[in-house]
Amino acid sequence: MRSSGDKDKNRGVSLQLNNLHQRLLHALSLGTRYYDEKTSQWKWQSANIEVQKQVIRSIDVFLDFVSGDARAAHHTVAKDSVADILGALLWILQCKSRPLLCMAANVAVKLVCVLPNSILESYILDLVYVLSSLLSSPFVEVAIPCSTCLNLVISNLNASSAKAVWEVLKQTECVIHILGNIHKFVGDMHARTDISTKLVILKLYTSLALCGSVAKKLIENGEIFLQMVVQSMGKSYPDTVRIEGFRLAQCLLRSQENCLKVMDTCGEALVDAIIFGMEEIEMHSRKFVNKNSSTSVEACRLALVTRWAEEHVSSLDKQISIAREGLRTNHKLWVRGYVWDILGSLAIHSGENFNPCIHGSEIYINLIIICACLTFEDVIKKWCRIYHKEVDDSIQSEPASRAVLMMIYSPCNYISSQARLIFSRTYSADHFRNLVHTLEYTSSLESYGSFDKIQLIINLIGLISFLSLPHHHTLESKYIKKVAFIAKRCLGNDIDISRLSLASHLHATLYENSCCWMDAEDWEGSNILLFYALWGLAEMVHQSASLQNSSHISIVAIEYFGAQLVGKLIEICSNASLGHGLRWYAAHILSHFEFYGFPNELAKRVGICLDEKEYADIQLFLANGNTLSVHGVILAVRCPSLLPPELLLVKEKRIDGQSIREVRLSSHVDYEALVKLLEYVYMGYFRASEEIVKKVKTLAKRCNLQLLLQMLHRQSPKWGASFPSFDLTSSLVSAGSCFWDVILESKLDKLERWTCRICSHSVPHLHVHKVILQSGCDYLQGLFRSGMKESHSQIIKVPISWEATRKLVHWFYSNELPKPPCGCLWDNMDDEQKLFSLESYVELYWLSEFWILEDVQEACWNVIVSCLDNAKQLSIKILKMAGDFSLWKLADVAATHLAPSYSQLRDSCELDDLDDALVHLICSASIQLSQNG
């Protein structure tokens, strides 16, 4: 039972609360209170500024009392007052008075802080609308509390409300308003000394930088902004500010491009800040630290992001210092994953000739390698047992194993040799037998739990590490099939393991609401098991080939898999959506099957032209009298060294009605080597025996084809290197200018002052090459060969707009269709801009059906449908275009989007401009929708 004292206190709370509520009602009575039937809410209004001030003061006093007593917030009077308070506050926040707005905005912050979210839930959208509109205020004292209040509201949203709130933010152009004042806020950050303001501004920037487009713009703002970010991580600020500074930097540096720009501007200062942040691990080692968000954790996460800035060799010692600080307190379990990842990244990105002895840091590096190898030994002992089911130490098992693997295969001779030496002294034959036995068991499982996934990954990493040691080379052929079997299962989609599912420290709630980050997936790809399997297979085949003849290795693998393996590897290389590391290792393995180069989808169709003399405009003469007909545009982009610098001075000859330039090559050029080199130039790769490869190496070196030379010498891929592309777009400008032989002319658009720098033709057009066009389009190939008037014309008229023509030509030369703006960029475009962007894809969709360009048609379809899903208001315009082009499949999609609004559109006469057939489509879709409920 409650004591009489408690009852008296409750009675006192009720009495005071009632008095304050009456005072509030009296202030509100000076204005007009009314019930809005449309929103089913009480509202209030008054044009008198003095009355508005009195109401704000009454609300402020009321909230002060509620905040001072936990019981008051749940009192019936407090709940009943919410409608009156918000009704008045929403009206006052729309006034023009600067002092009054400042008062109201601060009261709004107090309101959201004091009252439970459940009480405010039905008013959230109205509050967000008003607050986001005020973000454009030129007065910092108004915009700051509004952004603070918005941050509080958004951070407490449930999943059902989040989408509706985001629609309001887009409607009020929240991001645009914030960016409009961005420079002023930066200045304010330096001018103001109060910590609360700095923290609010940093949080504002962090929220903005979750959008990739905004992050890029922020970095473009220059050195002042970046200095502010780095300074906020300094020791002179409290932990709350430093944590937000680290989080902001993580958002800014998520892409490689952004990271390199920041490192170029303030790399040294950034690394210093990371080191100071990591030192907090030691300072807090004896007291409780929030492992999910602390200065040290956020510093570790930022250190992982900076792994991309490998060019900054000057900061290597400082990065070593980061790892050393982490290892100094390695009893901290929650930080181990970060430390091992930093160490592994450092090792795999080190230069070949890096010598720590010169810098006096060899002792530290040796200690780090020893720590890593000893940890890895412990991991192998624990995880290489079939019935081991304890996963409590998994937080460091995969990162530590990965770090040792990266040390062993580091491009740095010192790190690699030391890692292999130390690793060879920490393992035993029993470890190896247990590992192989466990790998055989785990690789044959039909399904995988979280434990099985970690165990399989660690077993595979362990096998690859063990087989790197010299005295295991004789065993490699025996285990090639085991690793290849895992790769086969991954390629068949039997096993798919992402690294994020293994390494809990990589989970960052900060990025959950990010958008507009257009980076490709991780270098390793989404299936980390497939990456390790290909890495291991590449290393084992490579090392076996160095001890035995390569034909033996080919026989072993081909007998086991046949042509299936080679075909799968070529598919991986050709798939531009896969991680670059996967594609590199696939190409590396192919080199051991006598396939050299980089298979590519565009090269697959361009390669057909190699054996065709049609449109060939260069004839290569060898010293032995052999000749080869080639296409100048392809050589100009892919292997310009084969063309003489004075090519334009070479006289042309007419052969079978074609203009041909003769190029005589040096007597040192071997015919067989040249044929294979041209296969690489046209097709991206070639197949040849070791004897011919020796000749190709000489020619490739003279032609300065460094990537091909790397493959011919079977050099291991460099971590982080982009997979070579097959892109001919440079031939649309200077590289292929002397080989243009046809013009693509678009429809006459409303382009003002359109001019061509090449010719005087006034209609929008592009100078292109017949050999490229016909290789990607059967229709154009037939047209050029038809013998009709059009086949001899220098101008091909394309019945689409200039924008659509540019996109089409880009696809011909790169096999990629340019995509429209997306994410926030798309959301902040008006309907006219969105429609203009979409129209070219509708035109291309129509043309691709006529020209039989199935890949272009599919790409256009995906773009149009995706954009309509995010901008249904464009459906009427797109439906009309689809009807004009007789694109009935597209018309059905647009009609489906319009179906829910059919009655409203019909009554408002918005469908009057459409043909009856199109209106009938919408009506039918609406009926179908109602029948389906």
Side-chain angles (χ1 to χ4, degrees):
M1 294 181 63
R2 292 183 180 179
S3 66
S4 58
D6 288 338
K7 291 180 180 179
D8 290 340
K9 287 181 181 179
N10 287 333
R11 195 177 299 112
V13 168
S14 298
L15 185 61
Q16 274 189 280
L17 202 57
N18 275 313
N19 288 336
L20 291 172
H21 185 230
Q22 290 301 319
R23 189 182 302 176
L24 173 61
L25 291 178
H26 173 71
L28 290 170
S29 68
L30 300 175
T32 303
R33 186 173 181 265
Y34 66 97
Y35 185 76
D36 188 346
E37 294 183 356
K38 184 178 284 188
T39 60
S40 301
Q41 291 177 352
W42 283 101
K43 295 191 175 182
W44 182 90
Q45 64 184 38
S46 173
N48 190 312
I49 291 180
E50 293 304 320
V51 170
Q52 293 177 15
K53 286 182 180 179
Q54 188 172 342
V55 169
I56 287 294
R57 292 190 187 102
S58 299
I59 296 173
D60 194 26
V61 172
F62 184 85
L63 292 174
D64 277 340
F65 178 78
V66 173
S67 65
D69 194 309
R71 295 166 296 181
H74 299 280
H75 199 282
T76 304
V77 174
K79 294 178 181 179
D80 293 343
S81 302
V82 172
D84 292 322
I85 290 173
L86 275 163
L89 195 58
L90 291 173
W91 170 264
I92 297 170
L93 282 170
Q94 298 177 63
C95 75
K96 303 299 181 183
S97 170
R98 176 177 176 178
L100 195 57
L101 278 175
C102 185
M103 289 172 61
N106 282 291
V107 167
V109 174
K110 189 177 294 186
L111 174 76
V112 174
C113 290
V114 170
L115 296 181
N117 197 51
S118 57
I119 297 177
L120 298 172
E121 189 171 1
S122 58
Y123 304 93
I124 288 296
L125 292 182
D126 291 330
L127 188 60
V128 168
Y129 185 90
V130 174
L131 291 171
S132 58
S133 299
L134 284 172
L135 292 178
S136 60
S137 172
F139 311 123
V140 175
E141 60 269 34
V142 174
I144 292 295
C146 286
S147 65
T148 303
C149 192
L150 269 177
N151 189 54
L152 291 168
V153 170
I154 293 172
S155 62
N156 291 314
L157 283 178
N158 55 43
S160 60
S161 304
K163 187 175 181 181
V165 168
W166 177 237
E167 289 301 320
V168 171
L169 293 175
K170 288 195 292 185
Q171 185 182 347
T172 56
E173 298 182 331
C174 173
V175 174
I176 293 177
H177 291 330
I178 295 173
L179 290 177
N181 281 333
I182 211 78
H183 290 291
K184 183 173 178 60
F185 283 158
V186 175
D188 241 58
M189 183 68 177
H190 290 287
R192 288 177 173 262
T193 57
D194 51 301
I195 298 302
S196 60
T197 302
K198 291 181 185 293
L199 184 59
V200 167
I201 294 176
L202 284 170
K203 286 185 175 181
L204 173 62
Y205 277 127
T206 302
S207 300
L208 286 170
L210 286 172
C211 170
S213 301
V214 176
K216 187 175 181 180
K217 289 288 184 185
L218 288 172
I219 290 173
E220 289 172 357
N221 279 342
E223 192 171 348
I224 295 177
F225 170 74
L226 295 176
Q227 284 176 353
M228 178 272 290
V229 177
V230 174
Q231 288 172 7
S232 67
M233 307 175 206
K235 287 186 174 181
S236 59
Y237 289 107
D239 283 353
T240 52
V241 173
R242 296 179 67 194
I243 288 172
E244 202 58 43
F246 281 119
R247 286 163 63 87
L248 172 55
Q250 291 168 39
C251 293
L252 293 173
L253 272 64
R254 281 181 68 188
S255 76
Q256 182 174 5
E257 180 185 357
N258 286 3
C259 185
L260 293 177
K261 284 182 179 178
V262 173
M263 293 300 288
D264 284 338
T265 304
C266 55
E268 292 296 313
L270 182 66
V271 174
D272 284 338
I274 293 173
I275 293 174
F276 294 145
M278 291 286 289
E279 288 174 348
E280 300 296 317
I281 299 172
E282 181 70 21
M283 292 170 61
H284 295 295
S285 60
R286 296 184 180 180
K287 62 181 181 181
F288 174 78
V289 177
N290 182 357
K291 66 179 181 180
N292 294 317
S293 182
S294 66
T295 307
S296 53
V297 168
E298 300 302 341
C300 286
R301 287 174 174 162
L302 181 56
L304 289 181
V305 175
T306 59
R307 70 189 184 277
W308 278 318
E310 58 194 82
E311 288 88 350
H312 295 273
V313 181
S314 61
S315 64
L316 183 58
D317 288 340
K318 292 185 178 181
Q319 292 186 54
I320 292 170
S321 176
I322 294 173
R324 183 152 39 89
E325 290 294 342
L327 288 173
R328 187 180 296 168
T329 54
N330 62 1
H331 59 279
K332 283 294 177 183
L333 185 64
W334 47 267
V335 83
R336 292 179 185 178
Y338 298 109
V339 173
W340 293 126
D341 271 0
I342 294 168
L343 288 172
S345 179
L346 189 153
I348 205 70
H349 285 131
S350 295
E352 179 181 355
N353 298 317
F354 169 70
N355 188 349
C357 299
I358 298 175
H359 304 279
S361 56
E362 70 274 13
I363 296 177
Y364 300 129
I365 290 182
N366 290 342
L367 285 173
I368 287 170
I369 295 173
I370 291 170
C371 288
C373 290
L374 290 175
T375 305
F376 188 34
E377 179 193 18
D378 188 50
V379 168
I380 290 174
K381 287 178 181 178
K382 291 179 180 178
W383 287 92
C384 292
R385 288 178 289 169
I386 292 176
Y387 299 107
H388 171 73
K389 293 294 179 183
E390 298 176 13
V391 295
D392 58 312
D393 62 342
S394 62
I395 192 170
Q396 75 158 342
S397 297
E398 188 273 345
S401 307
R402 174 187 171 95
V404 172
L405 185 65
M406 289 182 164
M407 290 175 183
I408 289 173
Y409 290 102
S410 170
C412 173
N413 294 324
Y414 181 90
I415 293 176
S416 177
S417 60
Q418 287 295 106
R420 295 182 192 216
L421 174 65
I422 296 168
F423 180 63
S424 67
R425 296 183 181 180
T426 58
Y427 88 103
S428 67
D430 289 339
H431 294 156
F432 184 74
R433 281 192 294 271
N434 291 338
L435 185 149
V436 172
H437 180 57
T438 312
L439 180 64
E440 187 172 350
Y441 168 76
T442 53
S443 62
S444 61
L445 293 174
E446 291 186 6
S447 60
Y448 292 86
S450 57
F451 165 80
D452 301 314
K453 290 178 180 179
I454 297 174
Q455 190 171 43
L456 181 57
I457 289 289
I458 291 173
N459 291 165
L460 184 54
I461 291 175
L463 179 62
I464 300 169
S465 302
F466 276 120
L467 294 180
S468 69
L469 302 179
H471 50 280
H472 270 299
H473 284 171
T474 55
L475 300 175
E476 287 180 6
S477 295
K478 180 179 178 181
Y479 299 110
I480 286 179
K481 290 183 180 180
K482 183 61 60 184
V483 178
F485 176 70
I486 295 173
K488 183 182 179 182
R489 288 196 65 183
C490 290
L491 291 170
N493 297 319
D494 288 344
I495 317 174
D496 191 339
I497 303 175
S498 69
R499 185 162 187 245
L500 197 61
S501 68
L502 306 174
S504 59
H505 66 285
L506 295 179
H507 288 273
T509 56
L510 177 63
Y511 301 145
E512 288 178 358
N513 294 315
S514 61
C515 62
C516 304
W517 289 96
M518 304 302 292
D519 284 352
E521 65 175 274
D522 291 339
W523 196 75
E524 304 100 306
S526 58
N527 189 345
I528 194 66
L529 181 63
L530 175 59
F531 174 76
Y532 285 136
L534 291 184
W535 184 355
L537 194 58
E539 290 297 334
M540 288 189 290
V541 170
H542 177 71
Q543 292 174 8
S544 295
S546 65
L547 296 177
Q548 308 170 33
N549 66 70
S550 60
S551 61
H552 174 75
I553 296 301
S554 299
I555 290 170
V556 169
I558 290 174
E559 281 181 351
Y560 186 58
F561 285 113
Q564 182 184 9
L565 177 63
V566 171
K568 284 289 187 181
L569 293 174
I570 290 176
E571 283 180 22
I572 291 174
C573 292
S574 302
N575 191 341
S577 65
L578 294 178
H580 289 264
L582 278 176
R583 299 168 73 192
W584 264 113
Y585 278 112
H588 188 60
I589 298 169
L590 282 171
S591 68
H592 291 279
F593 296 137
E594 300 182 342
F595 290 85
Y596 301 90
F598 313 97
N600 181 279
E601 284 299 320
L602 176 58
K604 190 184 296 184
R605 55 182 168 92
V606 172
I608 299 173
C609 305
L610 178 59
D611 297 324
E612 298 179 0
K613 292 187 177 180
E614 202 167 15
Y615 313 115
D617 46 13
I618 299 286
Q619 196 164 28
L620 301 177
F621 282 80
L622 284 84
N624 63 2
N626 287 322
T627 61
L628 291 167
S629 297
V630 294
H631 305 84
V633 57
I634 298 174
L635 259 63
V637 176
R638 299 276 297 155
C639 188
S641 298
L642 282 177
L643 299 176
E646 67 280 359
L647 182 63
L648 291 177
L649 301 178
V650 177
K651 291 184 179 180
E652 294 183 356
K653 291 185 178 181
R654 300 290 296 182
I655 301 178
D656 296 332
Q658 293 183 206
S659 297
I660 302 289
R661 290 187 176 98
E662 294 182 355
V663 175
R664 300 192 178 274
L665 301 177
S666 165
S667 59
H668 298 291
V669 177
D670 180 81
Y671 177 75
E672 286 184 321
L674 180 60
V675 169
K676 292 301 175 183
L677 188 74
L678 288 175
E679 285 183 25
Y680 169 76
V681 168
Y682 276 76
M683 303 174 63
Y685 71 102
F686 66 90
R687 188 175 189 181
S689 64
E690 287 292 328
E691 184 179 351
I692 295 177
V693 166
K694 291 178 182 178
K695 299 176 182 179
V696 178
K697 287 179 182 177
T698 303
L699 185 56
K701 185 175 182 180
R702 290 179 177 174
C703 292
N704 197 31
L705 298 175
Q706 295 300 323
L707 292 172
L708 176 59
L709 276 172
Q710 178 180 343
M711 200 55 63
L712 293 173
H713 288 283
R714 292 173 178 150
Q715 296 174 1
S716 296
K718 181 182 178 183
W719 191 280
S722 297
F723 191 78
S725 63
F726 193 106
D727 190 340
L728 302 176
T729 53
S730 61
S731 65
L732 293 170
V733 285
S734 57
S737 58
C738 59
F739 302 107
W740 290 326
D741 54 5
V742 69
I743 288 175
L744 274 191
E745 181 184 287
S746 67
K747 282 195 310 186
L748 188 59
D749 285 341
K750 298 177 181 178
L751 294 173
E752 297 181 3
R753 299 178 182 177
W754 194 94
T755 58
C756 176
R757 62 181 181 81
I758 308 299
C759 67
S760 59
H761 195 47
S762 59
V763 179
H765 64 274
L766 283 164
H767 293 265
V768 289
H769 311 85
K770 286 184 178 180
V771 64
I772 305 299
L773 298 185
Q774 62 90 33
S775 71
C777 180
D778 292 340
Y779 170 81
L780 289 178
Q781 185 180 89
L783 177 67
F784 293 149
R785 294 176 176 175
S786 66
M788 296 187 298
K789 178 182 177 183
E790 290 84 353
S791 66
H792 302 294
S793 174
Q794 293 297 306
I795 299 177
I796 303 297
K797 296 189 176 183
V798 190
I800 54 177
S801 66
W802 167 243
E803 286 297 322
T805 303
R806 288 173 57 195
K807 290 181 175 65
L808 176 63
V809 170
H810 191 276
W811 178 84
F812 274 122
Y813 284 75
S814 68
N815 204 52
E816 293 182 0
L817 191 70
K819 295 180 180 179
C822 63
C824 293
L825 294 177
W826 172 263
D827 292 337
N828 287 292
M829 292 166 62
D830 59 36
D831 287 349
E832 187 176 346
Q833 292 172 318
K834 290 178 180 177
L835 182 62
F836 177 77
S837 179
L838 266 187
E839 283 174 341
S840 58
Y841 292 97
V842 177
E843 292 179 89
L844 274 181
Y845 181 72
W846 166 77
L847 183 73
S848 59
E849 186 174 330
F850 181 47
W851 280 14
I852 323 174
L853 297 170
E854 294 179 1
D855 290 345
V856 176
Q857 190 172 34
E858 182 182 358
C860 289
W861 173 265
N862 292 336
V863 167
I864 297 166
V865 171
S866 174
C867 289
L868 281 182
D869 288 342
N870 294 298
K872 292 181 173 60
Q873 68 277 14
L874 304 179
S875 297
I876 292 181
K877 298 288 186 181
I878 297 301
L879 177 62
K880 190 175 187 309
M881 284 190 71
D884 293 341
F885 285 119
S886 299
L887 300 172
W888 301 113
K889 181 182 175 183
L890 179 58
D892 283 337
V893 171
T896 302
H897 281 301
L898 294 168
S901 309
Y902 171 66
S903 299
Q904 181 183 348
L905 293 170
R906 180 195 58 202
D907 296 342
S908 62
C909 302
E910 291 183 61
L911 303 180
D912 289 355
D913 292 336
L914 297 180
D915 292 340
D916 291 342
L918 298 178
V919 176
H920 178 70
L921 276 180
I922 306 173
C923 179
S924 299
S926 177
I927 294 171
Q928 184 69 36
L929 184 67
S930 62
Q931 289 175 345
N932 294 336

